[in-house]
Amino acid sequence: MGQSQTSRMGPPWSQESSPGEGLPTEWRRQWTRSRRVLLAVLICGLLLGSSVLWVYIFRNCGPRPCKTRVCLDLLAHYLASGNRSVDPCTDFFSFVCAKANGTSNSVQTLTDKNKSQLWKLLETPRSWHLRSGEEKAFQFYNSCMDTDTIESAGAGPLQQVIEELGGWNISGNWTSLDFNRTLRLLMSQYGHFPFFRAYLRPHLAPPHTPVIQIDQPEFDILLQKEQEQKIYAQILREQLTYLNRLGTLLGGNPQKVQQHAAWFIYFTSRLFQFLRPLEQQEAQDKLFHVVTINELQEMAPAIDWLSCLQATFTPMSLNPNQTLVVRDLDYLRNMSQLVEEELLTNRDMIQSYMILGLVDTLSPALDSKFREARRELRQKLRELKERPPLPAYPRWMKCVEDTGTFFEPTLAALFVQEAFGPSIQSAAMELFAEIKDAVIIRLKNLSWISEETLKEALNKLTKLQVEMGAPKQDLKPELAKEEYSDIQLGPNFLQSFLSCSRSLQGRNVRHFLQPFPSHRWTGSPWGVKAYYSVSDHVVVFPAGLLQPPFFHPGYPRAVNFGAAGSIMAHELLRIFYQLLLPGGCPACDTHVLQEALLCLERHYAAFSLPKMAPFNGSHTLLENAGDIGGLAIAFQAYSKRIAEHSGEMTLPTLDLSPYQLFFQSYAQVMCGESSSQNPQDIYSPPSLRVHGPLSNTPAFAKHFRCPHGTLLNPSARCKLW
């Protein structure tokens, strides 16, 4: 019986009876109903509570609008440069870049903004602790801005220069000096090269020692091109009017001026006929020639090459066996023969040709009459070619540019101190590190790359150097005093300009001759062009590029990754352009690689470019690949970033999600005029640099909800990177 009771009672944890057990049946029914009501109330409460919790989480952990000053300025910039009535799925370029009066140009806008910042720094020197070397930069700028003194001097400073060169036959007395003596003075003292160009550059082959390169001249007076044949006569008339004006401003007899101006155009056109297009030189395998000074002297004897080059590139020590790199030997031969012929019968005309060219070169440093003559010529030529007029070019901008050219170390230090402090540089380096990690992941997942090539590629990335902001030597103020010691300012602005020009030329030569511990920058720190140097294996991002609207530590991360991040990724991919060239990756799966490249070529060829002449897609293939890969890598890095870190922001009232803002900021970098395209340009037109990569990015179509088959959501895409 005891066992029977125990069995009925069950295990100890089930011995407690239910609340309704032992009660009448009606009471049990009421208890059941009450329990159901309580359960329903509990469920409703849980649902309501979770809803409140979800709203709280969304509001506090979802994208927050950035309302700081830098974000509001960026918002204003975006709203001012886009046409929101356009469908982003069919014309994202207009959606981002179109304005009421044309198309915004982001790179030019940032360039002008950086110059404006330099202008403010130069206008307030008292706020800086200047040393004696740096003071010369501010003195030069102030003398450039002192237009009253420049106007009062008139043509006098230039006439003095002409007299030192022997004068000319159209005004006053002239002395028939030795032709090569005049040419030597023009090249070394005035930086004017009337018949050819000569400059120092690193040798293409290791150890990249400095070499003098001789190139075809860059004619400042524009001449006939095939597309300008219909207006050729009008162009010549405008150029003749301009040259007549220069000669008259210098006190020349109008009849003689007209005679010499006409001969100037005749002689220039003869030289112009000797030029050969770059494609023709490449086709004949004559792009570069290595010759000694002696050999060049035999081929082009009219020029005393040793004395002219020695004077120009002092303190280099040259000898007849010095090797040179020559761009086009045929041009130099023909030029020399023509000069020799004209020296026999028209020595005064040759002198006049060189002087008029110098006057045109120096006109920006002269009074307003010379500057206005040059500006009017440019405007007339643009009108004839049906191009928009040149924008206003204020005096301060020219003075800032010249000061920056002659005193770059000083302006670099001031600009970096003002616009690229340690916190900005640290944020930029952090962004670069994330982009670099994304490149590594991409390389490891390429379908066409071999294990051996991948190992080499990763090794290259490991050894890559990165420089941001400004060259390290520019940030050492003690160097400024040494750099500018030979500059003599005065007695007039032209003489100051010439002294600065000579100092810069000597400085460049000395720098080339000295062992250099790091990479020599090819642009200014306030410039906006990033680049990769193959010879030094370094990638450079100047401080001027890492500025609003392309980058700021206070921006939403979508903006920095979309704009600056895509630029960084593009520059990193340049390291691997060689792999995409024919025979550049023999160990790779060349079939897969070539299929991807052909797909890319067809992908870009499918876009129509209204109001534009056709362009050569083969010249842009590598940069198209860089654009597509840069966008894909930046997007991958951004997606990884927001997956690992909360707190993303967006711009208020723009009605764009963070991912949409990423693509907006990418396209904003590419904004520019698409009306004209140089056939030799390595970049596609701006609209194609937007639509090409975006149409190859499935995430763009997803986040903008583009219908299948629209321009930016095509049925097929290319897989290269």
Side-chain angles (χ1 to χ4, degrees):
M1 184 173 180
Q3 288 178 345
S4 175
Q5 270 185 325
T6 303
S7 178
R8 277 200 311 268
M9 288 175 63
W13 58 83
S14 66
Q15 288 179 9
E16 186 175 351
S17 61
S18 65
E21 189 177 344
L23 295 177
T25 302
E26 185 61 30
W27 287 16
R28 282 202 304 271
R29 288 174 181 169
Q30 289 180 7
W31 167 249
T32 302
R33 283 196 297 268
S34 300
R35 188 171 57 184
R36 287 173 180 171
V37 170
L38 286 171
L39 185 59
V41 170
L42 180 60
I43 291 173
C44 289
L46 287 172
L47 289 174
L48 181 61
S50 63
S51 299
V52 172
L53 181 62
W54 174 253
V55 170
Y56 175 82
I57 292 173
F58 180 80
R59 286 182 177 177
N60 289 275
C61 299
R64 295 176 290 107
C66 178
K67 296 182 180 180
T68 61
R69 171 49 54 193
V70 292
C71 285
L72 294 178
D73 288 345
L74 180 66
L75 174 64
H77 173 73
Y78 280 3
L79 292 175
S81 62
N83 183 357
R84 300 288 152 177
S85 65
V86 174
D87 181 4
C89 296
T90 58
D91 189 359
F92 198 68
F93 179 77
S94 295
F95 181 82
V96 172
C97 302
K99 293 198 301 185
N101 58 346
T103 303
S104 61
N105 188 323
S106 295
V107 170
Q108 188 59 51
T109 299
L110 181 54
T111 300
D112 293 344
K113 175 178 170 289
N114 290 343
K115 289 178 183 176
S116 180
Q117 193 153 6
L118 287 174
W119 179 34
K120 293 175 183 175
L121 295 174
L122 288 167
E123 287 286 341
T124 55
R126 293 183 185 87
S127 63
W128 302 96
H129 300 292
L130 300 177
R131 295 164 180 82
S132 58
E134 295 166 326
E135 285 175 357
K136 286 186 177 180
F138 288 88
Q139 290 170 6
F140 175 84
Y141 169 77
N142 289 328
S143 65
C144 180
M145 292 294 289
D146 186 4
T147 53
D148 289 343
T149 301
I150 294 173
E151 292 298 315
S152 64
L158 182 57
Q159 288 170 333
Q160 182 182 348
V161 168
I162 293 173
E163 288 174 10
E164 292 170 358
L165 291 167
W168 57 350
N169 201 19
I170 67 173
S171 66
N173 298 322
W174 78 287
T175 305
S176 181
L177 298 178
D178 177 70
F179 164 76
N180 273 292
R181 176 186 179 277
T182 303
L183 179 60
R184 186 164 60 247
L185 286 171
L186 286 170
M187 291 171 58
S188 62
Q189 299 299 305
Y190 302 101
H192 179 56
F193 298 81
F195 308 107
F196 54 87
R197 285 186 300 141
Y199 55 92
L200 273 179
R201 69 162 178 79
H203 200 285
L204 293 176
H208 308 296
T209 52
V211 62
I212 297 173
Q213 180 161 323
I214 311 294
D215 273 5
Q216 300 171 341
E218 288 184 339
F219 293 113
D220 200 44
I221 302 295
L222 303 177
L223 292 167
Q224 179 184 14
K225 295 180 181 177
E226 289 183 11
Q227 64 268 31
E228 296 164 357
Q229 287 179 355
K230 294 180 181 178
I231 57 173
Y232 183 49
Q234 293 170 281
I235 289 175
L236 289 184
R237 279 196 293 271
E238 294 297 340
Q239 292 168 349
L240 188 60
T241 300
Y242 169 67
L243 294 172
N244 281 330
R245 195 169 171 184
L246 291 185
T248 305
L249 287 172
L250 286 162
N253 177 285
Q255 191 173 2
K256 276 192 174 182
V257 168
Q258 188 166 14
Q259 178 188 2
H260 284 247
W263 196 89
F264 182 100
I265 290 179
Y266 153 78
F267 188 79
T268 306
S269 64
R270 290 286 305 275
L271 291 177
F272 192 80
Q273 290 172 1
F274 299 147
L275 301 182
R276 291 183 302 138
L278 186 62
E279 313 90 76
Q280 186 179 343
Q281 296 178 48
E282 289 175 339
Q284 296 177 1
D285 195 25
K286 292 184 178 180
L287 191 56
F288 291 105
H289 304 264
V290 177
V291 298
T292 65
I293 292 179
N294 250 349
E295 290 170 340
L296 185 58
Q297 190 66 55
E298 292 179 7
M299 298 175 194
I303 311 297
D304 185 348
W305 292 100
L306 181 58
S307 68
C308 287
L309 294 176
Q310 181 64 79
T312 303
F313 296 105
T314 301
M316 282 185 76
S317 179
L318 303 182
N319 61 71
N321 295 318
Q322 178 80 36
T323 57
L324 310 170
V325 173
V326 178
R327 172 79 71 166
D328 189 349
L329 276 175
D330 289 340
Y331 166 80
L332 295 180
R333 288 191 187 98
N334 291 323
M335 176 273 296
S336 174
Q337 184 177 346
L338 178 62
V339 168
E340 284 185 313
E341 292 171 0
E342 297 298 342
L343 282 173
L344 293 175
T345 56
N346 292 306
R347 182 173 291 271
D348 62 334
M349 290 295 190
I350 287 283
Q351 173 83 356
S352 179
Y353 176 83
M354 294 192 286
I355 296 294
L356 265 178
L358 176 65
V359 173
D360 178 60
T361 300
L362 296 181
S363 59
L366 302 173
D367 67 61
S368 59
K369 298 184 187 69
F370 289 92
R371 299 197 305 270
E372 183 63 19
R374 186 183 178 93
R375 190 194 67 81
E376 286 186 10
L377 172 66
R378 296 293 180 268
Q379 293 287 22
K380 291 284 180 61
L381 294 181
R382 292 182 74 87
E383 288 175 13
L384 288 173
K385 297 170 187 177
E386 298 181 348
R387 294 179 184 172
L390 289 168
Y393 196 70
R395 179 69 181 175
W396 69 262
M397 190 172 286
K398 174 62 178 171
C399 293
V400 166
E401 289 176 354
D402 287 346
T403 308
T405 298
F406 298 137
F407 299 93
E408 182 178 297
T410 292
L411 266 65
L414 298 183
F415 186 82
V416 167
Q417 184 177 344
E418 182 74 8
F420 199 68
S423 62
I424 300 177
Q425 183 171 10
S426 175
M429 287 298 293
E430 182 182 349
L431 174 63
F432 177 78
E434 294 184 71
I435 294 296
K436 186 177 176 182
D437 287 344
V439 171
I440 293 172
I441 294 172
R442 280 276 161 168
L443 290 174
K444 289 180 177 179
N445 289 297
L446 290 181
S447 58
W448 48 266
I449 200 167
S450 66
E451 288 188 17
E452 178 186 350
T453 308
L454 174 61
K455 185 178 179 181
E456 292 174 359
L458 296 177
N459 186 46
K460 273 191 171 184
L461 274 180
T462 302
K463 294 181 178 178
L464 178 71
Q465 300 294 314
V466 57
E467 295 192 15
M468 283 187 183
K472 292 179 180 136
Q473 64 272 16
D474 281 4
L475 304 180
K476 297 177 181 177
E478 65 273 9
L479 295 180
K481 187 174 181 179
E482 301 173 17
E483 295 270 317
Y484 313 142
S485 59
D486 57 345
I487 292 178
Q488 301 297 323
L489 299 179
N492 54 64
F493 178 65
L494 179 60
Q495 290 296 338
S496 296
F497 181 90
L498 291 172
S499 179
C500 290
S501 180
R502 292 163 191 154
S503 173
L504 178 63
Q505 169 69 7
R507 208 154 61 222
N508 288 339
V509 175
R510 289 193 299 273
H511 285 184
F512 263 105
L513 296 178
Q514 293 169 357
F516 211 72
S518 58
H519 168 71
R520 289 183 176 91
W521 283 40
T522 61
S524 63
W526 53 87
V528 297
K529 182 174 175 56
Y531 65 92
Y532 166 65
S533 169
V534 178
S535 57
D536 292 334
H537 194 46
V538 59
V539 63
V540 174
F541 301 101
L545 174 69
L546 298 168
Q547 299 293 315
F550 291 176
F551 180 82
H552 192 279
Y555 278 169
R557 289 189 290 253
V559 174
N560 289 335
F561 276 87
S566 61
I567 294 172
M568 290 175 176
H570 190 138
E571 295 306 319
L572 286 176
L573 288 179
R574 290 185 193 279
I575 303 170
F576 312 110
Y577 277 4
Q578 180 67 31
L579 300 178
L580 307 184
L581 297 175
C585 188
C588 296
D589 189 331
T590 53
H591 176 73
V592 174
L593 177 57
Q594 289 306 312
E595 281 295 317
L597 290 172
L598 283 173
C599 175
L600 194 64
E601 210 166 337
R602 290 191 295 265
H603 183 78
Y604 274 76
F607 287 92
S608 61
L609 295 170
K611 301 179 183 179
M612 270 195 62
F615 71 100
N616 192 333
S618 62
H619 287 162
T620 65
L621 181 62
L622 287 178
E623 294 305 328
N624 292 342
D627 284 340
I628 281 184
L631 175 63
I633 289 165
F635 184 78
Q636 174 184 315
Y638 174 63
S639 300
K640 182 174 183 288
R641 175 73 178 185
I642 63 173
E644 295 175 351
H645 300 83
S646 61
E648 179 59 305
M649 297 184 294
T650 188
L651 296 180
T653 74
L654 196 58
D655 196 27
L656 292 178
S657 70
Y659 282 114
Q660 290 174 327
L661 184 58
F662 169 90
F663 292 115
Q664 160 92 23
S665 62
Y666 165 77
Q668 198 80 37
V669 171
M670 303 297 179
C671 289
E673 290 290 344
S674 299
S675 56
S676 60
Q677 181 78 8
N678 186 336
Q680 300 301 322
D681 201 340
I682 62 172
Y683 295 100
S684 292
S687 60
L688 201 47
R689 295 191 71 187
V690 172
H691 291 158
L694 291 180
S695 60
N696 202 66
T697 306
F700 174 84
K702 172 187 173 183
H703 290 289
F704 277 92
R705 294 181 286 279
C706 296
H708 187 70
T710 52
L711 183 71
L712 299 184
N713 189 12
S715 56
R717 295 183 173 90
C718 306
K719 180 66 175 175
L720 177 62
W721 299 108

